[in-house]
Amino acid sequence: MSVDATMHVVRPGRRDAYLDWLQMLTGAGLVLFIAFHTLLTASIIFGAGALDGVAGALEALHLDTLAHIFVPILFFMHFVIAARKIPFRFEGQEAIWRNARLLNHRDTWLWIVQAGSAMIILVLGAIHMWTNINDTAILAATSTVRVQSGGWLIFYLVLIPLVQLHVFIGVYRIGVKWGFITDATRPKVVKILTIAFGCVLAIALIALARYATMTV
Ligand code: HEM
């Protein structure tokens, strides 16, 4: 390789290693939150009383207040740290796209889906958190009215698959990057994660159908 070709390559240093750790930790924190959040919102499948009961128990423990403070912090920290890897200039995006087509490798495509979904989740997630944090409490009555008004159903139809996709690709990437998933276990883990993704997505969409059709 000529000197010219390597001149612009920045060697990763100790700071980058710390940032990678933080990226993984904030990402893992959000994965745990979303897993918990999916279970909470999916309780509506069993009726309005189930959602109100679970939400009431969380509120009694003040976990909602904790979530209102720490989830937005985690969400924006994760974005800022991970964004350093995303090219925001057109030339960079074009180069990544060209390389992805050239390599045509599953993990490279997954990285592109991860970066693309992140941009949409950033906007929709921020709107969603703002709306919900400003509610006095999590109630089936409030949530069903919201989902049945304005463009909220379409909003969630976009957000649900993107969030779940981002979460599952994130788990896979953490596993590969930090050595939990090896070459030997990779095909099996990919199969398990794909099935789990399908099941979780189905549960979230069934819950959304309940929010969209239930009268409380
Ligand atoms: C403190 C933070 C959060 C609170 C209090 C909260 C609360 C809620 C509530 C009450 C619902 C039911 C629908 C509604 O009332 O609008 C909901 C649905 C949803 N939330 Fe959140 N949320 C939070 C953070 C997040 C984050 C960070 C994401 C991902 C970016 C997210 C993604 C979703 C999705 C995809 C749904 C639809 C679930 C379904 O119908 O299966 N939420 N959230």
Side-chain angles (χ1 to χ4, degrees):
M1 198 183 280
S2 75
V3 176
D4 270 2
T6 56
M7 258 168 64
H8 65 286
V9 177
V10 182
R11 281 179 154 273
R14 190 180 280 264
R15 193 187 57 185
D16 216 56
Y18 285 132
L19 287 175
D20 258 5
W21 258 101
L22 262 183
Q23 182 179 327
M24 188 268 279
L25 289 176
T26 51
L30 285 169
V31 166
L32 285 179
F33 169 74
I34 292 295
F36 200 62
H37 177 289
T38 305
L39 286 178
L40 163 73
T41 48
S43 62
I44 196 149
I45 295 173
F46 302 104
L51 176 70
D52 290 349
V54 178
L58 296 178
E59 276 153 15
L61 295 168
H62 300 291
L63 288 179
D64 59 326
T65 315
L66 274 184
H68 290 174
I69 298 167
F70 289 110
V71 173
I73 293 176
L74 215 56
F75 185 81
F76 290 112
M77 257 181 87
H78 183 68
F79 166 69
V80 171
I81 298 166
R84 77 194 196 287
K85 304 253 173 108
I86 300 176
F88 285 93
R89 281 175 171 269
F90 180 69
E91 306 87 73
Q93 291 164 0
E94 209 184 17
I96 290 229
W97 188 249
R98 209 177 328 112
N99 288 343
R101 288 181 58 176
L102 196 72
L103 292 169
N104 202 17
H105 184 264
R106 183 187 57 205
D107 287 10
T108 312
W109 288 120
L110 285 182
W111 186 87
I112 289 185
V113 173
Q114 193 72 344
S117 60
M119 295 302 115
I120 305 170
I121 293 170
L122 175 70
V123 177
L124 300 191
I127 296 172
H128 168 71
M129 277 189 288
W130 179 255
T131 320
N132 276 284
I133 288 172
N134 281 302
D135 277 349
T136 42
I138 297 176
L139 286 169
T142 326
S143 291
T144 49
V145 166
R146 181 174 20 251
V147 175
Q148 290 167 28
S149 64
W152 286 104
L153 179 59
I154 296 168
F155 178 95
Y156 283 123
L157 274 173
V158 176
L159 186 60
I160 289 173
L162 289 182
V163 166
Q164 299 301 348
L165 201 60
H166 195 87
V167 160
F168 277 90
I169 296 176
V171 169
Y172 170 71
R173 291 187 60 83
I174 288 176
V176 171
K177 194 166 171 182
W178 298 88
F180 306 118
I181 301 173
T182 60
D183 279 351
T185 58
R186 197 183 289 219
K188 201 171 173 191
V189 175
V190 167
K191 205 171 169 184
I192 293 170
L193 285 176
T194 309
I195 294 170
F197 166 71
C199 295
V200 173
L201 184 61
I203 291 171
L205 290 173
I206 293 168
L208 183 66
R210 293 283 277 160
Y211 285 107
T213 52
M214 190 182 277
T215 37
V216 181

